[in-house]
Every structure is written in C-alpha cells, then in structure tokens.
Amino acid sequence: MFCPQCGKEHKERINFCCNCGTALFTPVSVNKKLTRSIQDKKIAGVCSGFAEYLDLDPTLVRLVWVMAAFFAGWGFIAYLIAWIVMPYGPPPQPVAAAVPSSAPQVAPSR
C-alpha cells in the first residue's frame, strides 16, 4: 500500500498510515435495521426479518424458532413481542418491465 499523504510505502494492508495517521482504508458501514419482512412472510414476517438481518436462510431461522417454542417455551412469547415491536421493512422495489422486441408480429387470424 502507498500512503497518498506522506508517500510512505507499506508492505501489508493497514487501515491507517503508521507515519502520518492518514486513513488508507475505510470500511463500508452498512446500516441494517431489524424489520419484519413484507416479501417472505408466513405469519407476520418476524423470522424472515431476523434471517435478512443475520444473512441466514429464513427456513433455518423458522426451524430454530419452532424448536425454541416447543422445547424452551419462550419462543411463542418472544415471537409475539417481536411481532409487536418490529416495524415493517421497506416495500419491495418494482422490477423493471422487459422491453418488447422489435420483431414483426403476426396478425391474429379470424
């Protein structure tokens, strides 16, 4: 890596220059919010919202939640609390329509 401020070359990847303190690498900060899913919901979208937040498969989260409800006993109450507390996520973005081809079309027969 090369520091644009002081001109010192570093052999390994570092976040800040050891010589002048200039930031060489700024991590991307993702502002994720825990919300209920609108797209992939079965009951209220709570499990799917947790899955989106944790980058997991929604089915896996649902299975863990059901096992917690049956074996631990707190899963059902936690689901109801999350249903009340978690806001809905943003609405899904519309998909752009496909552009029809400019190929000649056959007239319908009568």
Side-chain angles (χ1 to χ4, degrees), residues 24-36:
L24 300 176
F25 174 73
T26 54
V28 178
S29 63
V30 178
N31 291 335
K32 287 178 140 183
K33 293 180 81 177
L34 181 60
T35 57
R36 289 188 286 158

Side-chain angles (χ1 to χ4, degrees), residues 1-3 6 8-27:
M1 292 195 84
F2 180 76
C3 178
C6 68
K8 184 175 180 183
E9 185 176 350
H10 301 282
K11 294 183 180 178
E12 55 190 45
R13 185 175 185 202
I14 55 174
N15 292 334
F16 296 97
C17 178
C18 301
N19 195 28
C20 65
T22 303
L24 300 176
F25 174 73
T26 54

Side-chain angles (χ1 to χ4, degrees), residues 33-38 44-46 49 81-90:
K33 293 180 81 177
L34 181 60
T35 57
R36 289 188 286 158
S37 177
I38 296 175
V46 172
I81 292 171
W83 189 348
I84 294 168
V85 173
M86 288 172 61
Y88 272 120

